[in-house]
Amino acid sequence: MVNRPHGGRLINRTLSQKTTQRVMDEIKEYGRMDIKEVNAVDVGSIADGTYSPLTGFMTSDELGSVLSKMRLPDDVPWTIPVVLDVNRELMDFDEGETIILYYNGEPLARMHVDELFSFDRKEYARSVFGTNDEAHPGVKRVMELENTLVGGEVEMMGELPNPYKDYTLTPMETRVLFKERGWKTIVAFQTRNVSHVGHEFLQKTAATFVDGLFINPVIGKKKAGDFKDEVILKTYDELIRNYYPKAMTHMSILRYEMKYAGPKEAIHHAIMRKNFGCTHIIIGRDHAGVGNYYGPFDAQEIFKEFPDLGMEPMAFQAFYYCHRCGNIVNSKICDHDRQFHDSLSGTKMREMIRTGEVPEPYHMRKEVFEVIRSFDKPFLE
Amino acid sequence: MAEERKHTTVSIPLPLYRKIKERIEGTGFTSVSDYVTYVLREVLASLEEDQKEEVFSEEEEEKVKERLRALGYLD
């Protein structure tokens, strides 16, 4: 059997069609709150169980516990706040009310407002990101949050617009899929980039020790200059079709906005993949990091603080091509001088594509390169 | 968001306390309480690990399988 859900129970906060219809009939009786994309995506993750055991946006008790102890009040590990912010001066509802959350003008979810509370942005940022430096993209977003947080349970009644429906599986769906395939141990690979050969070796090395490989690209808001979501998915399709064992590989997407919280976000990534049924997660160098805010292996070390996480990290150093070894290796299995190393970072890869340089076969599979080249504009503008 | 003190006291034999205190010297654990908490979390997690059960009903599973077949993931 696949891994148990985080906190012991897979959450489903989706209203039945019948109840949804009843709410729609009475919709004018509810207060209204328009939410941003990041909140709408969080609603989806709460509703389908990706964020199990959360059933709603965090209350002050939950947020305080996460910030100070990296745990929910019932001691379940949790490192990243899931909050809904609102401008108190502009809102037209109060504690105790049930409201409708609208996204893009459409009703998305019903929410019971348990609590409205203020919070300290600096304490929040320092606790999650380890810094108050607003040059950090995660800190910047926290500093831009409205002055009040709304805590309470949500029930999804609509659907998020999703251009990648066929690539989307809920935790319940991946669990059934893994069960049907007979997988008991599954390693997750989180990515927000097209794959180069180093990634492929990383995944295949990890997959050697388990029953299944779950490639789980993050789809959502990214920075200008990043690969478009469609490019990432098409390149992986081609890569899997040509080079991966089909019986032990599955790819579906995760809709999520990166926080760049390094080690704490690595734990959050592990929790989400645990809910999909995974037992292991690949944690590479500077996982979920940005700039120089975190040490290269902080995201691997933090797992030692959570003996009850229920997810095993598979920690790797970066893979690269060594001209002396004549092979793809990592620093643990190659001690040749750096002059022989030929590494390919995401940044370097994007630069090669931009300048029209054809990558070496040990940098990138030709099929992947051809897919990228088939797009007029593979990067976000 | 002030941190609340949500702890209670558990008694352990004094010799065991001394052994643990000695053992955690030079490690990342700053107190016997921290160490005991860590160990208990680990033990409880491993016990829960043995209690795996399905998290969906047969009816839900069948519905999911239909979609997985339609997507070509299952035969």
Side-chain angles (χ1 to χ4, degrees), chain A residues 37-57:
Chain A
E37 183 182 354
V38 60
N39 305 129
V41 170
D42 281 344
V43 167
S45 295
I46 293 166
D48 71 14
T50 304
Y51 284 171
S52 296
L54 295 193
T55 54
F57 287 102

Side-chain angles (χ1 to χ4, degrees), chain A residues 314-331:
Chain A
M314 289 179 125
F316 289 100
Q317 302 182 4
F319 281 69
Y320 52 84
Y321 184 79
C322 171
H323 288 277
R324 281 295 299 278
C325 294
N327 215 339
I328 303 283
V329 292
N330 62 54
S331 58

Side-chain angles (χ1 to χ4, degrees), chain B residues 11-52:
Chain B
S11 301
I12 58 170
L14 210 52
L16 177 61
Y17 175 86
R18 289 196 194 106
K19 262 190 194 171
I20 296 172
K21 201 172 175 195
E22 209 173 293
R23 186 175 179 81
I24 63 173
E25 267 175 36
T27 69
F29 293 103
T30 54
S31 68
V32 171
S33 292
D34 279 356
Y35 183 82
V36 170
T37 303
Y38 181 91
V39 170
L40 289 179
R41 279 176 176 153
E42 192 171 31
V43 170
L44 284 176
S46 70
L47 290 175
E48 285 167 1
E49 192 63 18
D50 297 336
Q51 297 170 336
K52 285 179 182 172

Side-chain angles (χ1 to χ4, degrees), chain A residues 82-366:
Chain A
V82 177
V83 295
L84 177 61
D85 60 314
V86 65
N87 185 328
R88 198 177 272 251
E89 284 73 47
L90 299 179
M91 67 190 197
D92 65 350
F93 56 87
D94 216 332
E95 284 180 2
E97 282 185 42
T98 300
I99 60 172
I100 304 295
L101 304 179
Y102 285 77
Y103 176 59
N104 276 349
E106 297 293 327
L108 180 69
R110 181 167 74 170
M111 178 178 189
H112 184 74
V113 181
D114 282 334
E115 192 185 6
L116 294 164
F117 59 102
S118 55
F119 67 109
D120 183 335
R121 291 184 183 87
K122 283 190 176 169
E123 185 192 339
Y124 181 137
R126 176 159 290 284
S127 170
V128 175
F129 303 103
T131 175
N132 281 331
D133 183 358
E134 290 192 38
H136 185 298
V139 174
K140 185 169 179 284
R141 275 186 222 139
V142 169
M143 293 305 171
E144 289 168 354
L145 288 175
E146 300 286 358
N147 54 12
T148 300
L149 299 179
V150 192
E153 299 199 326
V154 295
E155 298 160 299
M156 192 141 168
M157 47 193 278
E159 268 191 30
L160 279 172
N162 183 359
Y164 304 111
K165 265 190 181 172
D166 287 356
Y167 286 97
T168 309
L169 293 190
T170 64
M172 190 191 288
E173 289 169 334
T174 53
R175 284 171 172 278
V176 172
L177 177 65
F178 297 162
K179 182 184 163 195
E180 284 299 299
R181 288 189 173 181
W183 298 355
K184 290 188 175 67
T185 52
I186 301 119
V187 64
F189 181 72
Q190 133 102 30
T191 182
R192 47 190 159 114
N193 227 323
V194 304
S195 181
H196 55 66
V197 176
H199 291 141
E200 185 184 330
F201 270 73
L202 183 64
Q203 293 163 22
K204 287 181 173 175
T205 305
T208 308
F209 300 98
V210 292
D211 301 327
L213 169 65
F214 178 45
I215 298 171
N216 197 207
V218 169
I219 298 298
K221 201 173 169 185
K222 294 195 180 75
K223 318 187 286 290
D226 284 350
F227 280 107
K228 289 177 178 169
D229 291 337
E230 196 183 351
V231 179
I232 297 170
L233 294 175
K234 295 283 180 213
T235 51
Y236 262 106
D237 274 344
E238 204 56 16
L239 195 61
I240 292 168
R241 197 169 66 81
N242 284 287
Y243 297 105
Y244 283 58
K246 315 292 172 295
M248 68 167 299
T249 309
H250 171 71
M251 176 182 75
S252 51
I253 63 166
L254 174 70
R255 301 187 73 187
Y256 173 74
E257 185 175 288
M258 286 293 297
K259 313 289 186 278
Y260 305 102
K264 288 198 176 183
E265 190 160 18
I267 296 295
H268 190 58
H269 287 168
I271 290 170
M272 291 189 283
R273 277 43 183 247
K274 181 182 174 186
N275 284 326
F276 281 109
C278 298
T279 50
H280 297 71
I281 183 168
I282 295 170
I283 303 291
R285 197 178 184 279
D286 199 23
H287 185 102
V290 64
N292 294 316
Y293 293 97
Y294 312 107
F297 303 109
D298 286 358
Q300 299 175 353
E301 289 294 315
I302 194 172
F303 280 81
K304 292 178 186 160
E305 295 178 40
F306 296 94
D308 50 345
L309 185 64
M311 278 290 276
E312 286 295 322
M314 289 179 125
F316 289 100
Q317 302 182 4
F319 281 69
Y320 52 84
Y321 184 79
C322 171
H323 288 277
R324 281 295 299 278
C325 294
N327 215 339
I328 303 283
V329 292
N330 62 54
S331 58
K332 202 168 177 186
I333 52 172
C334 161
D335 61 3
H336 292 128
D337 194 83
R338 285 177 69 91
Q339 63 173 307
F340 300 110
H341 299 177
D342 201 334
S343 62
L344 183 57
S345 67
T347 312
K348 192 169 162 186
M349 186 164 61
R350 286 191 289 272
E351 194 50 38
M352 288 171 97
I353 307 287
R354 270 198 200 91
T355 56
E357 190 181 337
V358 178
E360 297 289 345
Y362 50 80
H363 282 154
M364 183 182 278
R365 297 283 193 183
K366 70 176 187 328

